[in-house]
Amino acid sequence: MPTPPTGDSARRAPMPSRRSVLTAMAAAVPAASLSALPARASAASAAPAAAALPGGGDLGPNVLVFDPATPDIQDTLDEIFQRQESAQFGEGRFALLFKPGTYRGLNAQIGFYTSIAGLGLSPGDTTFHGDVTVDAGWFNGNATQNFWRSAENLTLHPVSGTNRWAVAQAAPFRRMHIKGGLNLAPDGYGWASGGYIADCRIDGTVGPYSQQQWYTRDSSVGGWNNAVWNMVFSGVEGAPAQSFPDPPYTTLDTTPVSREKPFLYLDGADYKVFLPEKRVNARGTTWGSGTPRGESLPLDRFYVAKPGAAAATLNAALTQGLNLLLTPGIYHLDRPVEARRANTVVLGLGYPTLVPDNGATAMKVADVDGVRLAGFLIDAGPVNSVTLLEVGPEGASADHAANPTTVQDVFIRIGGAGPGKATTSMVINSNHTLIDHTWVWRADHGDGVGWETNRADYGVRVNGDDVLVTGLFVEHFNKYDVEWRGERGRTVFFQNEKAYDAPNQAAIQNGDIKGYAAYKIADGVTTHEGWGLGSYCFYNVDPTIRQDHGFQAPGKPGVQLHHLLVVSLGGKGQYEHVINSLGAPTSGTSTVPSTVVSYP
């Protein structure tokens, strides 16, 4: 087995190709050039009232549905990949959906803003004798920018016996059954910075190799090969034993609370959305012992939104009692999309992207039970938004323990695709909210990037009580990346990089503290717990910057953090401590983590 790289000075370090704008390579595939036909779904069974918006309908030209008899599937997959492979900040968005059946000889290479999924109720309903591949040839073997793509609900028999899924942030791998192994590194074992697996079964061994960190939840693996800095498992059958920091495995027997992401499937000829039920102390997949447990909604209960739909239209559909299915594309919003009704579902296909104009908030959720947000990207606009996503209004106080709101594969970006600003990206006010995999990113490369150009002071702020996050990725904010004010919060896995582009020490000075913590628990909090938490610095503009600590927490018995690490990437800036005044400083250019096994 090759020795995985342990250095990371190239992790989004400046280089000419990294700052180039790739928009010209990312034009959407014209519908007429695709051999697969647009998906269609049943309209509402009864004609809507004159003023009502219809439920169901056509899924649009960028949702491509295949069956085993569809001609030229590989040609269509290759055409989309050619356009999306390096289209990091382009406008193309695609969902590739496969009806139940068996497909042979396919290699579905997955580029930016592309989702592939089976349309069965369980992964075994749609089987590939082939591969679903992510590699990093477009970026010279460096996988640290393989963002915004996904695979879901398929069974794979990889051609070589091992499937390659070399991804970074915002690239979930859900409800997949791999009848073989899974390689998470790019060809050549170059740098990689991911990632997330949930509700999957990998019969063979998972090889992360050069992956710096990874979180795997409620799954089954045949084995796990090596680790670099931070590998976290919760509810995973076959996970390696607890051993942090050497090797850096954090292993929880179960996941405290989980509820899998909603997904589209076919029931005969009818499209439905399946809503998996909540599990407590979960372990293993939801689908391994028969039919998954949950509720199905017919598509005529959804307003099928197309790119360009106005916020007023989306809100009218929600007010009418419909849910939202966002098809692939860009949606400009002049006001928030507001989910005010309990059990509302907002589900995206193929990374639909919400862009708030004129400083609006993109989405707001009322303090109600059971709202499900899943599968979309929020892109900050050029006028500063005070917030981009709000779950619950300020002062929310209702108890949602029995039926929490879930936020899954919802990603936020400030800058990169163009100038963007936001004071606080995600604010969680509702109690018991479950955030299951998010990447909240102030861009460090692309268009519209600079210390003030894409100013964003705070990444995630949690004011609600009893909030659980499983898979928290938050990077590069001007001040606190995560600020936790609610009681009894829990985080399973955290990955962070401090802002690269701080111009000098004074720019990040926090009173008498050097730098803002990546993860701050407010002084008044009495109970909080976290597992597998890492923060990295790469102050490439001023490498002399010192960061007092990656984590800041009150010294109270109920505040307990397990398996913390800080890393200086190539010696570009250094940490004085890991948490508060505990933990050895980082030093030199060797990119060796400083760790604290438990706090206090």
Side-chain angles (χ1 to χ4, degrees):
M1 181 181 71
T3 302
T6 56
D8 196 39
S9 59
R11 169 76 161 99
R12 301 187 205 130
M15 61 177 67
S17 62
R18 203 165 279 192
R19 293 286 176 179
S20 63
V21 180
L22 301 172
T23 303
M25 305 171 68
V29 177
S33 72
L34 300 173
S35 57
L37 295 175
R40 294 198 63 84
S42 301
S45 56
L53 293 164
D58 194 310
L59 299 181
N62 286 4
V63 177
L64 307 178
V65 176
F66 306 90
D67 65 40
T70 302
D72 304 319
I73 296 176
Q74 188 66 58
D75 289 346
T76 302
L77 297 176
D78 290 346
E79 182 180 351
I80 293 172
F81 177 66
Q82 183 179 14
R83 293 175 181 267
Q84 298 302 113
E85 179 184 12
S86 56
Q88 184 172 174
F89 298 115
E91 295 186 355
R93 304 284 188 274
F94 294 95
L96 312 175
L97 306 182
F98 287 78
K99 292 182 179 181
T102 299
Y103 300 79
R104 298 184 182 277
L106 295 181
N107 180 20
Q109 299 181 82
I110 305 301
F112 285 99
Y113 313 109
T114 304
S115 297
I116 187 170
L119 284 170
L121 192 55
S122 293
D125 295 337
T126 308
T127 298
F128 275 27
H129 289 267
D131 296 86
V132 173
T133 303
V134 176
D135 205 345
W138 75 277
F139 202 41
N140 300 314
N142 181 342
T144 61
Q145 292 184 27
N146 282 346
F147 312 136
W148 306 304
R149 64 198 75 198
S150 66
E152 187 171 354
N153 208 24
L154 296 166
T155 291
L156 303 183
H157 295 260
V159 171
S160 70
T162 299
N163 191 73
R164 187 184 302 278
W165 186 255
V167 297
Q169 290 80 0
F173 201 72
R174 291 182 179 269
R175 295 176 58 78
M176 297 287 286
H177 186 184
I178 310 301
K179 295 204 169 186
L182 184 64
N183 185 341
L184 303 178
D187 186 28
Y189 300 93
W191 284 297
S193 179
Y196 176 90
I197 290 171
D199 202 23
C200 290
R201 178 177 174 180
I202 294 93
D203 293 346
T205 297
V206 179
Y209 303 111
S210 53
Q211 285 286 357
Q212 296 157 356
Q213 67 278 316
W214 201 276
Y215 174 51
T216 307
R217 177 182 63 71
D218 298 352
S219 294
S220 173
V221 299
W224 192 275
N225 244 352
N226 90 293
V228 176
W229 294 334
N230 189 29
M231 299 287 164
V232 180
F233 309 83
S234 67
V236 178
E237 298 167 348
Q242 171 66 50
S243 57
F244 186 91
D246 186 22
Y249 295 137
T250 295
T251 303
L252 284 68
D253 190 57
T254 62
T255 303
V257 182
S258 62
R259 189 168 70 184
E260 298 304 329
K261 173 181 169 287
F263 61 91
L264 187 71
Y265 76 103
L266 274 171
D267 183 2
D270 298 325
Y271 286 90
K272 295 182 178 179
V273 172
F274 189 75
L275 308 178
E277 71 175 11
K278 186 186 78 169
R279 298 199 291 170
V280 177
N281 296 323
R283 182 172 173 83
T285 67
T286 62
W287 48 267
S289 301
T291 303
R293 297 173 64 89
E295 174 190 5
S296 289
L297 297 179
L299 200 65
D300 62 17
R301 297 272 300 275
F302 287 78
Y303 177 69
V304 180
K306 306 298 196 302
T313 302
L314 301 178
N315 285 328
L318 292 170
T319 300
Q320 186 179 311
L322 294 172
N323 302 292
L324 295 181
L325 186 72
L326 304 174
T327 63
I330 311 295
Y331 297 74
H332 281 271
L333 307 173
D334 63 352
R335 69 195 74 176
V337 176
E338 298 193 62
R340 299 177 179 177
R341 187 184 73 254
N343 301 312
T344 297
V345 180
V346 180
L347 175 62
L349 299 178
Y351 289 97
T353 302
L354 310 181
V355 183
D357 295 326
N358 302 317
T361 296
M363 185 168 291
K364 293 184 177 182
V365 178
D367 194 23
V368 295
D369 276 356
V371 173
R372 304 190 195 218
L373 309 180
F376 56 88
L377 173 65
I378 296 174
D379 222 344
V383 178
N384 185 73
S385 294
V386 175
T387 59
L388 293 172
L389 172 64
E390 294 180 16
V391 178
E394 185 176 354
S397 60
D399 186 317
H400 304 295
N403 186 13
T405 284
T406 50
V407 180
Q408 298 177 284
D409 300 348
V410 173
F411 308 121
I412 294 178
R413 177 173 67 190
I414 302 94
K421 292 185 178 182
T423 305
T424 306
S425 294
M426 181 185 296
V427 179
I428 307 298
N429 292 316
S430 286
N431 298 330
H432 303 100
T433 299
L434 174 59
I435 303 172
D436 175 44
H437 190 225
T438 189
W439 184 38
V440 182
W441 183 56
R442 176 181 167 266
D444 60 275
H445 63 275
D447 189 19
V449 171
W451 185 248
E452 297 295 342
T453 305
N454 62 330
R455 181 86 194 186
D457 283 351
Y458 308 104
V460 176
R461 177 174 291 154
V462 179
N463 297 318
D465 294 337
D466 301 289
V467 172
L468 170 66
V469 186
T470 52
L472 179 61
F473 299 75
V474 187
E475 298 188 292
H476 305 150
F477 285 84
N478 296 75
K479 293 184 178 179
Y480 294 122
D481 298 276
V482 175
E483 188 178 15
W484 209 295
R485 299 174 176 179
E487 285 289 355
R488 297 175 300 280
R490 291 175 290 182
T491 296
V492 183
F493 180 89
F494 172 64
Q495 185 265 333
N496 164 263
E497 290 178 348
K498 295 303 299 174
Y500 292 176
D501 56 345
N504 49 50
Q505 187 75 48
I508 64 163
Q509 194 68 18
N510 181 14
D512 59 356
I513 298 174
K514 299 173 187 173
Y516 289 80
Y519 189 105
K520 174 181 168 59
I521 303 167
D523 293 343
V525 171
T526 62
T527 305
H528 187 95
E529 195 161 12
W531 298 263
L533 314 175
S535 177
Y536 320 151
C537 73
F538 184 70
Y539 288 117
N540 61 326
V541 175
D542 182 358
T544 69
I545 289 175
R546 309 290 293 190
Q547 177 89 20
D548 260 349
H549 44 239
F551 302 88
Q552 185 177 347
K556 298 177 182 177
V559 176
Q560 300 183 13
L561 301 175
H562 316 277
H563 312 149
L564 310 169
L565 68 148
V566 295
V567 180
S568 169
L569 303 181
K572 305 292 187 182
Q574 301 288 348
Y575 291 91
E576 304 275 353
H577 306 284
V578 178
I579 179 168
N580 297 350
S581 59
L582 301 177
T586 59
S587 62
T589 61
S590 58
T591 317
V592 174
S594 178
T595 62
V596 167
V597 174
S598 63
Y599 171 85

